[in-house]
Amino acid sequence: MNYSLQTLAELYHKALLNDVLPFWEKYSLDWEHGGYFTCLDRQGGVYDTDKFIWLQNRQVWTFSMLYNQLEKRENWLKIAKNGAEFLAQYGRDAQGNWYFALTRGGQPLVQPYNIFSDCFAAMAFSQYALASGEDWAKDVAMQAYNNVLRRQDNPKGKYNKTYPGTRLMKSLAVPMILANLTLEMEWLLPAATVENVLTSTVEEVMRDFLHQERGLMYENVAPDGSRFDCLEGRLINPGHGIEAMWFIMDIAKRKNDTNTINQAVDVVLNILNFAWDGEYGGLYYFMDAEGHPLQQLEWDQKLWWVHLESLVALAMGYHLTGREVCWQWYQKIHNYTWSHFVDSEYGEWFGYLNRRGEVLLNLKGGKWKGCFHVPRGLYLCWREFQALAKKLN
């Protein structure tokens, strides 16, 4: 099926404003205690009231970003404020490290073992500060960002379970998200910090994690970029690799760096060719670079965010390069994604399918799925197709 660019732009815009955001506005808001319910069943019923810091901050970011970038809706700012004030009060320990989970009322449940809580806090409060003009929100954003810089070489700190010195590894997730976070916070950071961090993170991702011959992005490597022949060392996370590549495109676009943009597009295409399920369609969740069995028992599931990140990367790659192969792959991923994940009856998207593409969990939100990947993906695809349609006209 062929799509016009304007038709695609309208599809994404309508889905974002008329389907996905209204679901979260109707069911997720905890006006009594602050913050958001994210454990929502298919129809929006709350099945657990615990509050996971990643998802709380991501929802603050989503509504703040849309207020800043799409439309100055006061309701969106009010929703962002409801989460930001709750998180500022309850989200951190005495040293300023962000917890992983809280009770509904804000009591800590899970220790601050994960640097990504700090990453998403920095993203959230940066966008909220931009939307609200609140100086205190800038302070929270900067404190969280400095935490990330401080912890990037030892992300789990004292909560790291690995034995020191035997098989040291670093994860793609840290430099890729630091790159995106820094670009997000450019308005708030010193220019020298922005340039230094973006240069070093892009270089690290494309030098250490990219297998130059195979063109695949590895999830874990040694500190010097060499590889281990073990389960973690052979791990390919297709969604992560593809998401990292549109981060790289976004950064390279600032300097009109066409070489890096095309290299990132090549990697996206290599990952898609490697990870596409030729029998049932869709992209695998995890893969072993050498085809060995995986420790992740959910390896063959089809997940919402993997496909959304692919749509974003392909839309962006097509817009920036005009390469026909991006358009061909875009249509293939689009057809699978929109026919399998969208819940036309109750709104929003399913998150977890089995290998055959059947709904495995009919939740709309949980411990990992919240108000983030679907609205962000819809917004970014709308932005790319809208801009491309205008340019071609």
Side-chain angles (χ1 to χ4, degrees), residues 3-58:
Y3 307 90
S4 77
L5 297 172
Q6 192 56 47
T7 300
L8 284 171
E10 290 167 3
L11 172 70
Y12 282 102
H13 193 254
K14 182 180 177 183
L16 175 65
L17 295 182
N18 298 348
D19 175 36
V20 172
L21 289 178
F23 185 93
W24 295 98
E25 290 170 327
K26 184 173 182 179
Y27 299 116
S28 75
L29 303 175
D30 185 356
W31 294 119
E32 183 181 350
H33 289 274
Y36 318 107
F37 302 115
T38 62
C39 292
L40 303 176
D41 64 23
R42 184 183 180 191
Q43 299 178 48
V46 178
Y47 62 87
D48 194 299
T49 61
D50 289 348
K51 291 175 178 169
F52 305 100
I53 294 294
W54 288 24
L55 301 186
Q56 298 293 311
N57 275 310
R58 282 171 158 183

Side-chain angles (χ1 to χ4, degrees), residues 350-361:
F350 298 114
Y352 303 88
L353 313 178
N354 64 20
R355 185 184 170 192
R356 293 184 298 275
E358 300 157 345
V359 175
L360 188 62
L361 295 169

Side-chain angles (χ1 to χ4, degrees), residues 66-362:
L66 292 171
Y67 180 88
N68 292 327
Q69 301 288 338
L70 189 59
E71 192 178 324
K72 294 281 191 286
R73 292 193 186 185
E74 285 305 311
N75 186 50
W76 290 351
L77 187 58
K78 183 181 177 184
I79 291 168
K81 179 181 180 181
N82 187 54
E85 292 184 344
F86 174 81
L87 287 162
Q89 183 173 357
Y90 300 113
R92 296 169 288 180
D93 68 12
Q95 289 72 47
N97 300 305
W98 288 81
Y99 295 114
F100 182 79
L102 309 172
T103 65
R104 180 186 177 188
Q107 293 299 306
L109 273 176
V110 180
Q111 296 278 13
Y113 75 91
N114 197 301
I115 190 177
F116 301 113
S117 293
D118 303 76
C119 287
F120 294 122
M123 278 178 64
F125 282 90
S126 168
Q127 284 293 327
Y128 179 68
L130 192 59
S132 66
E134 297 282 3
D135 285 336
W136 65 264
K138 293 182 186 177
D139 295 338
V140 175
M142 286 305 303
Q143 187 265 331
Y145 183 78
N146 289 326
N147 249 14
V148 175
L149 292 183
R150 177 176 58 81
R151 296 179 63 184
Q152 63 179 308
D153 293 328
N154 187 17
K156 293 189 177 180
K158 66 182 181 180
Y159 303 106
N160 197 334
K161 294 184 289 187
T162 59
Y163 190 83
T166 302
R167 186 188 286 159
L168 298 177
M169 283 192 181
K170 62 180 182 179
S171 165
L172 170 64
V174 175
M176 69 176 264
I177 203 162
L178 182 55
N180 178 246
L181 171 59
T182 302
L183 197 60
E184 276 276 331
M185 293 182 62
E186 184 174 10
W187 75 279
L188 198 51
L189 297 171
T193 299
V194 172
E195 292 308 318
N196 290 339
V197 174
L198 292 183
T199 299
S200 64
T201 50
V202 170
E203 184 178 303
E204 184 179 6
V205 168
M206 302 307 276
R207 180 197 63 216
D208 291 355
F209 293 92
L210 175 60
H211 192 295
Q212 300 299 329
E213 290 75 38
R214 305 185 69 181
L216 296 175
M217 197 62 61
Y218 281 59
E219 191 69 10
N220 304 297
V221 297
D224 65 357
S226 58
R227 292 176 182 81
F228 292 105
D229 186 14
C230 63
L231 287 166
E232 290 87 355
R234 295 189 304 266
L235 184 64
I236 306 289
N237 182 331
H240 253 178
I242 291 169
E243 183 181 19
M245 289 304 98
W246 77 251
F247 290 172
I248 299 293
M249 288 183 226
D250 218 17
I251 292 164
K253 183 173 64 176
R254 296 166 74 248
K255 295 184 176 179
N256 199 27
D257 180 356
T258 54
N259 287 337
T260 300
I261 289 170
N262 274 294
Q263 186 185 19
V265 170
D266 287 340
V267 175
V268 170
L269 298 172
N270 289 334
I271 295 172
L272 291 173
N273 279 309
F274 185 73
W276 180 259
D277 182 345
E279 186 175 356
Y280 294 104
L283 299 165
Y284 290 114
Y285 188 17
F286 293 109
M287 300 187 76
D288 185 281
E290 305 302 330
H292 297 303
L294 290 115
Q295 62 178 326
Q296 290 85 2
L297 302 181
E298 68 276 24
W299 69 273
D300 65 346
Q301 289 178 20
K302 311 292 167 64
L303 267 68
W304 86 108
W305 71 268
V306 176
H307 293 76
L308 277 158
E309 299 306 320
S310 300
L311 291 173
V312 171
L314 289 163
M316 194 177 288
Y318 183 58
H319 184 187
L320 292 172
T321 70
R323 289 165 63 175
E324 186 63 25
V325 65
C326 290
W327 181 239
Q328 292 165 359
W329 260 111
Y330 169 80
Q331 292 181 90
K332 188 173 183 176
I333 301 290
H334 176 103
N335 290 339
Y336 182 88
T337 302
W338 284 84
S339 63
H340 285 78
F341 290 101
V342 178
D343 184 354
S344 56
E345 187 173 358
Y346 292 107
E348 235 275 345
W349 288 28
F350 298 114
Y352 303 88
L353 313 178
N354 64 20
R355 185 184 170 192
R356 293 184 298 275
E358 300 157 345
V359 175
L360 188 62
L361 295 169
N362 68 359

